[in-house]
Amino acid sequence: MATETFKKLYESSKLLVAQSNRDQLPVLERGLDQIDTETQRLFGKNKTDQEQTAHAHFFLAQNGINTQDLTQKLDAMDTTRIFQPADTINDTDVEKYLEQAHERSIIDTIEETRQNTIFDFEELSEQMMETNWRTTNRRILEEWDHHQNTSVFEDDKFIKSTTMTPTFRQRVLDYAAIIPKLNDARLSRKGFPVVEEFSKLSKSIHSERIHDRNLDIWKLLGNLAREVERHNKESSKMYSQLQSDDPAMANMTRRLIASAKNWLEKEYTEYIDDELVRHARDAKTGGVPSPAHRIRVFMNLKFKKGSGEWTDSRFEIVNGTAIWIYLYLLIRSGHSKQALQFVKENEQLFSAEPQFVRYFTEYMESPERRLRKTTHDAVVADYQRLEYGQQNADPYKLILYRVIGRCGLNKKRLPEIGTTEDYMWLQLSLVRQTENGEEYGYERYNLHDVQNLILSFKSNVFDNNGSSPRSYFLVLLLTLQFERAINYLYKNEKSRLEAVHFAIALAYHGLLRIPENPLTRSIDLLVIEDDERASLNFARLIYQYTRIFASIHNNQSSNTNNNIIINKDPNTTIPKEQYALNYLYLLTLYSDRQRYDSDDMITLCHQYIRELILGSKDPKVILGERSPELGRQRGLLDTYKDLIGIASERSFIQAILQPLAEKYTQEGRYLEAVFVYELTTDYNKVVDILNKQLGDALQQPRVTDANQTLLRRNSDEEIIRFALGRLADYEKQQHIGVLIKESKKHTVQVLINFLRSRSLYEEELYEQALQVIYQSGVIPLQDDFGQVQRAAEQFERLDEGISKNVPDMLLMVTDMLLKLWTTFTGPKLVSQPAAKETVARIEENIRAVLAFVGMIQFKMPADTITKLNRAEMMMSAHTHRLSQ
């Protein structure tokens, strides 16, 4: 037992040695006796003698080793205790260990916290950088919009060539005339048939063929929106608001797909009727025949040759009828009941496919157009037999099998169907939109799959070389890709006008998605979100379109009053701003009132309205005017304030007037800023604007050209008259005058005095200029310590508009005093008694100015102090020369 224990200990000790051998040195696997024996053997091989020892010492000495010194040191070492075992000190200071462990834990925690802080900081910095970039991007975009004289419409050949024509201008105005009606209905919370109204513009007798296609698209939009059936009432939740995981999404998608398919069937019925009318002599339809009879006549007309033979040998003809074509045409034109009735009543015609009657009946009688699993498998088997059999099957038989059994889902093309509409009808017939997906993966074919299929074809398949953009637009609409559809149509210059109004109709009916963060979106019209869903920058689209009214206005030579002539009647005009405003109101289709989660689009609407006002030559038309007796009078905006989320006068001031006034002020448009601030009844702010205007005028650099000086002097006088006029008007209205702070009125008077004194200075009327300066009470001109000290103390309380101009005024005053002093101390006047009194007064003025500057020098620019000191030195030197 003990032997086994020691063996285990021995093996464990070897493991310990192996783990501690960190230097990776080779292990000597020899015992001590074996090592001693081998050492003695090696030693015995080399017999030492004095000669060898001498050679060894010489060899070492050549390499700088003093063997004699080393030998002495080794002999002096005491090795008696070297190999004695050392005493083990058992130190088990638990408290010290815990203290060290606690310190290590604190250090580790601090380090971990530091790393987390660094990570959080970097992540926050990245988020802030992205947010700042989006904000800056939006601000730059807004500035670009505001300062550009052109728009997307005006930049291209489309505007240059088309907007100049009366036809195009009238089309723009015809569309624009509908928008106020739409907004009026929204204001009264009533439905509006926007699709019907827009589609009427495509029914013109003189319309081109391209407009007929527009009419088809409007019909499709009406079908998708169910504008007639819903009586224009909005659903509880818009399609554009639903997320992919919303339970209502599948139901609404199924409804839209059914509407798209229904439109294709109606459109095909109209096509059949048109063909029968065009070939009435050959068709000989007669009277008002049933749909089944008309389809039979159409089938004979389109699928038979003049000789009476069928156009394709693969057609199965039973009793003179191409049964598969006829059944397909019934279903394709939306006559499902007649198709089922035909099959049930004529089972014998389908004897070649005896199971088809059962397949078809089960499919048509199912509300969801589903087959039982066993039936579906049988249909698929029959389809495979027909598709890949040795005999060529009737192509329309294959189509019918494919529809009822949802066969060949992976097939992208069907050559037998020639038109785009037929192909889209087939794809929508195969789609099945379920909440939980299909039981088997190979049966899955939903809207997303169809959309990807269409996108994989690219636009050239449906729109050859961009010559027919409405065809691809129609395909995108049928697959519910509304955002991509608008974006594609908008790219084509000739269809841009319609693209905007198709977008408006889609937005009104809640079918158009907008970006999640519209406030920070860029100029891109189509936005692909992180989840790969497409959205349309509707706000950008509408804002760019509103610029077209300025272009139309500029091209109406007969119009001189900022209005647009409508209906070619020069006596009927509407302000161009009214058209643009009504389009901007459409942005609020996406608001809390419409059950959207955010009011960002209302914010954008307010922003674009302000931009429109900034570009208007007559903002009073939009904002209204202020009457002393009645207050602010109504403008264009007031009628639709509720529509744009403004419920009170206060919110109107906060959302429109205040930001607008600030923008006017930033751009130096003080007249407009005063007008807007007066509308807000913030008269103290009005006086601030007057002070800023006066202060900015004082900051203008001095000019040497006489004409420029005269122009600036006239401008200064106009500013002074405007400021005094506004103050006088306010004083006349006591209820306004008492609201304005006296300090602000005082600032106006001082700045006016400064401006007038500068004009007198430029005219070299120095004494009058000094008198005006003295009247301002800011710069002392009497050598009275008390007066100078009071002026210095008052300087601390001066408005910034005054204090920032004092240095320039001091230089101007000093220059005038120096020039006057030089004049009166000249050789011609120096001996006259009156001149001596004037010189004494001037010197007193100078001493007062210098004393004043000495008291406020820490608040004066260094260059001003230097210039004043230089003037004083010049005067002193001149005085010294005169005394000699």
Side-chain angles (χ1 to χ4, degrees):
M1 185 69 180
T3 304
E4 292 296 327
T5 302
F6 281 114
K7 284 183 178 179
K8 292 180 179 179
L9 289 174
Y10 175 67
E11 295 297 331
S12 300
S13 67
K14 289 198 296 183
L15 293 174
L16 289 173
V17 171
Q19 292 177 359
S20 62
N21 187 19
R22 297 180 181 179
D23 294 334
Q24 301 298 322
L25 296 175
V27 179
L28 294 175
E29 297 182 354
R30 292 176 174 83
L32 293 176
D33 294 339
Q34 186 178 3
I35 293 173
D36 181 63
T37 303
E38 291 184 1
T39 302
Q40 292 297 331
R41 187 183 303 115
L42 291 172
F43 179 74
K45 290 181 179 179
N46 296 286
K47 300 298 183 179
T48 60
D49 53 21
Q50 291 183 354
E51 184 178 355
Q52 285 183 340
T53 302
H55 283 300
H57 283 291
F58 179 73
F59 174 75
L60 294 173
Q62 282 184 327
N63 291 276
I65 300 175
N66 190 343
T67 56
Q68 183 177 3
D69 183 54
L70 291 174
T71 302
Q72 292 176 357
K73 290 181 179 180
L74 290 172
D75 292 339
M77 291 177 60
D78 184 7
T79 59
T80 57
R81 298 175 59 88
I82 288 178
F83 296 102
Q84 291 184 1
D87 295 334
T88 302
I89 301 176
N90 297 321
D91 189 359
T92 55
D93 191 344
V94 177
E95 184 177 353
K96 187 67 175 178
Y97 169 77
L98 293 176
E99 183 180 348
Q100 292 177 352
H102 179 64
E103 289 179 357
R104 283 197 302 272
S105 298
I106 293 175
I107 292 172
D108 292 342
T109 302
I110 293 173
E111 180 63 21
E112 183 179 359
T113 304
R114 188 179 71 84
Q115 293 293 339
N116 291 337
T117 302
I118 292 174
F119 176 78
D120 293 342
F121 174 76
E122 291 176 350
E123 186 176 13
L124 180 62
S125 298
E126 186 175 349
Q127 292 176 356
M128 292 181 65
M129 185 179 297
E130 183 177 358
T131 302
N132 290 338
W133 161 244
R134 288 182 177 180
T135 304
T136 304
N137 190 25
R138 168 58 59 183
R139 182 178 55 79
I140 293 173
L141 200 58
E142 293 165 7
E143 293 294 329
W144 183 85
D145 285 338
H146 176 51
H147 291 292
Q148 284 290 320
N149 293 322
T150 59
S151 68
V152 171
F153 280 87
E154 296 168 334
D155 283 339
D156 52 36
K157 295 179 293 184
F158 170 64
I159 282 296
K160 293 177 181 177
S161 61
T162 312
T163 53
M164 304 305 173
T165 66
T167 302
F168 175 78
R169 287 202 300 267
Q170 194 57 48
R171 285 176 61 202
V172 170
L173 297 177
D174 287 342
Y175 274 116
I178 297 174
I179 304 302
K181 300 176 184 178
L182 168 61
N183 286 324
D184 289 338
R186 293 175 58 208
L187 198 62
S188 57
R189 298 182 181 272
K190 295 180 181 179
F192 183 77
V194 61
V195 173
E196 180 184 348
E197 291 293 325
F198 282 156
S199 65
K200 290 178 182 178
L201 301 181
S202 298
K203 295 180 180 179
S204 172
I205 298 175
H206 304 290
S207 67
E208 302 170 1
R209 177 61 190 166
I210 198 171
H211 292 156
D212 294 339
R213 195 53 161 171
N214 286 345
L215 184 58
D216 292 338
I217 295 173
W218 284 120
K219 289 179 180 179
L220 172 59
L221 289 183
N223 229 49
L224 292 170
R226 293 197 302 180
E227 195 169 79
V228 177
E229 302 97 71
R230 293 195 295 117
H231 300 290
N232 308 312
K233 294 180 181 178
E234 295 173 349
S235 59
S236 58
K237 201 166 188 180
M238 300 288 191
Y239 176 74
S240 59
Q241 297 171 270
L242 297 175
Q243 300 298 323
S244 57
D245 56 350
D246 195 311
M249 185 63 171
N251 289 331
M252 192 166 289
T253 302
R254 281 195 294 270
R255 198 271 297 169
L256 289 171
I257 292 173
S259 296
K261 185 182 173 188
N262 177 261
W263 176 83
L264 285 168
E265 292 168 351
K266 289 181 179 179
E267 189 264 351
Y268 195 73
T269 300
E270 293 179 3
Y271 165 70
I272 291 175
D273 293 341
D274 290 343
E275 288 296 306
L276 293 178
V277 171
R278 286 177 56 196
H279 302 87
R281 178 178 298 179
D282 297 331
K284 298 179 182 179
T285 309
V288 186
S290 65
H293 177 70
R294 294 179 70 84
I295 289 174
R296 190 180 292 274
V297 174
F298 172 78
M299 176 182 67
N300 294 330
L301 182 68
K302 298 298 289 185
F303 294 95
K304 278 188 176 182
K305 300 177 182 178
S307 60
E309 297 180 0
W310 295 94
T311 56
D312 195 327
S313 61
R314 293 175 298 173
F315 295 160
E316 292 186 21
I317 313 301
V318 181
N319 295 338
T321 301
I323 56 173
W324 301 110
I325 296 178
Y326 179 64
L327 186 58
Y328 166 79
L329 292 176
L330 284 171
I331 299 175
R332 176 67 179 85
S333 58
H335 298 97
S336 300
K337 292 182 180 179
Q338 291 87 336
L340 181 59
Q341 182 181 356
F342 170 75
V343 171
K344 285 183 176 182
E345 293 177 354
N346 299 277
E347 292 187 25
Q348 71 281 359
L349 298 178
F350 300 94
S351 58
E353 299 291 340
Q355 298 298 322
F356 176 78
V357 176
R358 179 172 62 85
Y359 300 158
F360 190 75
T361 302
E362 183 178 330
Y363 175 82
M364 296 302 296
E365 291 180 349
S366 170
E368 297 180 356
R369 295 292 189 264
R370 281 179 177 269
L371 298 175
R372 293 193 299 271
K373 182 67 170 62
T374 54
T375 306
H376 174 264
D377 293 343
V379 172
V380 172
D382 285 348
Y383 174 79
Q384 297 290 340
R385 171 178 56 83
L386 295 170
E387 174 73 11
Y388 302 108
Q390 293 182 353
Q391 295 182 350
N392 291 329
D394 189 318
Y396 289 93
K397 180 198 290 189
L398 286 173
I399 294 171
L400 290 169
Y401 269 92
R402 187 174 179 185
V403 170
I404 63 178
R406 299 181 74 242
C407 307
L409 297 179
N410 294 326
K411 282 190 174 183
K412 290 188 176 183
R413 294 184 179 277
L414 191 67
E416 280 69 44
I417 293 184
T419 68
T420 298
E421 288 80 359
D422 291 334
Y423 179 72
M424 294 310 304
W425 177 85
L426 175 63
Q427 297 304 318
L428 295 180
S429 298
L430 298 176
V431 166
R432 184 178 291 164
Q433 199 74 16
T434 59
E435 297 179 19
N436 301 320
E438 296 292 342
E439 183 178 357
Y440 301 99
Y442 64 85
E443 294 181 354
R444 186 185 73 100
Y445 194 67
N446 55 27
L447 177 65
H448 184 66
D449 297 317
V450 176
Q451 291 174 342
N452 288 338
L453 172 65
I454 297 303
L455 293 178
S456 69
F457 288 151
K458 306 300 181 184
S459 61
N460 292 335
V461 174
F462 305 99
D463 176 16
N464 187 21
N465 299 323
S467 59
S468 181
R470 287 165 181 78
S471 296
Y472 188 52
F473 175 73
L474 182 66
V475 170
L476 292 172
L477 285 183
L478 288 168
T479 54
L480 311 189
Q481 301 186 80
F482 306 120
E483 299 78 20
R484 295 181 187 273
I486 297 297
N487 179 63
Y488 183 78
L489 195 63
Y490 189 82
K491 289 179 180 179
N492 190 288
E493 296 174 359
K494 295 182 179 179
S495 58
R496 190 163 288 171
L497 178 64
E498 285 75 22
V500 172
H501 293 89
F502 284 135
I504 291 171
L506 288 167
Y508 177 74
H509 287 293
L511 297 174
L512 195 69
R513 289 192 182 95
I514 61 170
E516 294 179 356
N517 301 302
L519 286 174
T520 56
R521 285 301 175 186
S522 66
I523 194 172
D524 296 332
L525 191 60
L526 184 67
V527 179
I528 306 301
E529 302 289 355
D530 295 337
D531 59 357
E532 297 186 356
R533 289 199 311 170
S535 59
L536 190 83
N537 199 337
F538 183 69
R540 187 78 186 154
L541 176 78
I542 294 299
Y543 178 69
Q544 285 288 357
Y545 181 73
T546 58
R547 307 292 290 275
I548 199 173
F549 295 109
S551 175
I552 292 178
H553 162 68
N554 293 336
N555 288 304
Q556 283 189 344
S557 58
S558 61
N559 182 14
T560 58
N561 59 355
N562 202 40
N563 295 333
I564 293 178
I565 299 173
I566 62 173
N567 297 326
K568 303 178 182 179
D569 183 1
N571 298 319
T572 306
T573 61
I574 291 179
K576 63 184 178 64
E577 292 87 355
Q578 182 171 335
Y579 282 119
L581 284 172
N582 271 284
Y583 276 93
L584 293 178
Y585 299 152
L586 297 174
L587 302 189
T588 60
L589 287 168
Y590 300 89
S591 64
D592 182 68
R593 177 175 174 176
Q594 307 299 122
R595 295 176 296 280
Y596 280 85
D597 297 333
S598 170
D599 276 340
D600 286 351
M601 291 290 276
I602 289 183
T603 302
L604 271 179
C605 178
H606 296 167
Q607 174 184 304
Y608 288 147
I609 287 173
R610 296 195 299 267
E611 293 291 334
L612 177 66
I613 299 171
L614 285 169
S616 174
K617 296 180 180 179
D618 189 8
K620 296 178 182 178
V621 175
I622 302 174
L623 300 174
E625 298 186 62
R626 188 156 202 88
S627 167
E629 299 80 15
L630 303 176
R632 191 178 69 84
Q633 301 300 295
R634 290 169 63 86
L636 293 176
L637 272 180
D638 288 274
T639 304
Y640 297 97
K641 283 196 300 184
D642 184 58
L643 203 61
I644 59 176
I646 296 177
S648 63
E649 186 70 11
R650 180 175 180 81
S651 60
F652 180 72
I653 291 172
Q654 293 175 343
I656 303 296
L657 296 182
Q658 284 183 346
L660 180 62
E662 291 172 2
K663 190 70 175 177
Y664 275 135
T665 304
Q666 292 173 8
E667 295 183 359
R669 299 168 63 180
Y670 298 118
L671 294 179
E672 292 94 336
V674 167
F675 160 70
V676 176
Y677 273 123
E678 286 180 340
L679 295 179
T680 68
T681 68
D682 189 352
Y683 294 99
N684 281 293
K685 197 68 178 178
V686 173
V687 179
D688 287 340
I689 297 300
L690 297 177
N691 288 330
K692 180 170 176 51
Q693 185 180 19
L694 292 166
D696 288 352
L698 282 167
Q699 293 292 312
Q700 294 296 320
R702 186 176 180 180
V703 292
T704 55
D705 183 75
N707 292 330
Q708 292 182 353
T709 301
L710 181 60
L711 288 174
R712 193 186 69 174
R713 197 175 302 156
N714 293 335
S715 175
D716 291 348
E717 196 58 37
E718 187 176 333
I719 293 171
I720 291 172
R721 283 198 302 270
F722 178 71
L724 291 175
R726 301 318 301 154
L727 286 180
D729 288 343
Y730 300 153
E731 291 298 331
K732 291 177 183 178
Q733 304 174 56
Q734 188 175 3
H735 65 287
I736 295 178
V738 296
L739 296 176
I740 303 174
K741 296 179 181 178
E742 291 298 326
S743 60
K744 296 182 182 294
K745 296 178 184 178
H746 175 259
T747 301
V748 173
Q749 293 295 341
V750 171
L751 293 176
I752 288 175
N753 284 342
F754 282 179
L755 269 178
R756 285 178 170 171
S757 64
R758 188 180 68 177
S759 296
L760 293 170
Y761 167 67
E762 290 173 349
E763 295 177 23
E764 298 184 357
L765 302 174
Y766 301 138
E767 293 187 358
Q768 294 92 320
L770 288 170
Q771 183 63 29
V772 173
I773 285 288
Y774 180 72
Q775 290 174 357
S776 68
V778 176
I779 300 175
L781 294 177
Q782 292 183 353
D783 190 12
D784 183 333
F785 179 77
Q787 186 179 14
V788 173
Q789 189 175 29
R790 283 192 298 273
E793 292 173 353
Q794 180 186 347
F795 182 81
E796 301 285 344
R797 301 187 297 272
L798 288 177
D799 183 89
E800 183 184 359
I802 299 175
S803 59
K804 72 178 182 181
N805 286 291
V806 166
D808 290 336
M809 290 298 105
L810 284 170
L811 289 174
M812 186 181 73
V813 167
T814 304
D815 185 55
M816 288 189 293
L817 290 173
L818 181 59
K819 288 178 178 178
L820 288 173
W821 184 85
T822 304
T823 301
F824 285 98
T825 55
K828 295 181 179 180
L829 299 176
V830 68
S831 59
Q832 297 181 8
K836 293 181 178 179
E837 293 179 3
T838 302
V839 168
R841 178 171 53 80
I842 293 172
E843 291 177 348
E844 178 187 2
N845 296 154
I846 292 174
R847 287 194 298 272
V849 170
L850 293 176
F852 175 69
V853 171
M855 291 183 181
I856 64 170
Q857 60 178 330
F858 295 109
K859 299 176 179 61
M860 298 286 290
D863 60 337
T864 302
I865 300 294
T866 302
K867 291 177 182 178
L868 291 173
N869 289 334
R870 188 179 301 117
E872 181 185 9
M873 292 173 61
M874 289 173 58
M875 193 176 299
S876 299
H878 188 61
T879 304
H880 181 68
R881 285 196 301 271
L882 290 175
S883 63
Q884 290 179 345

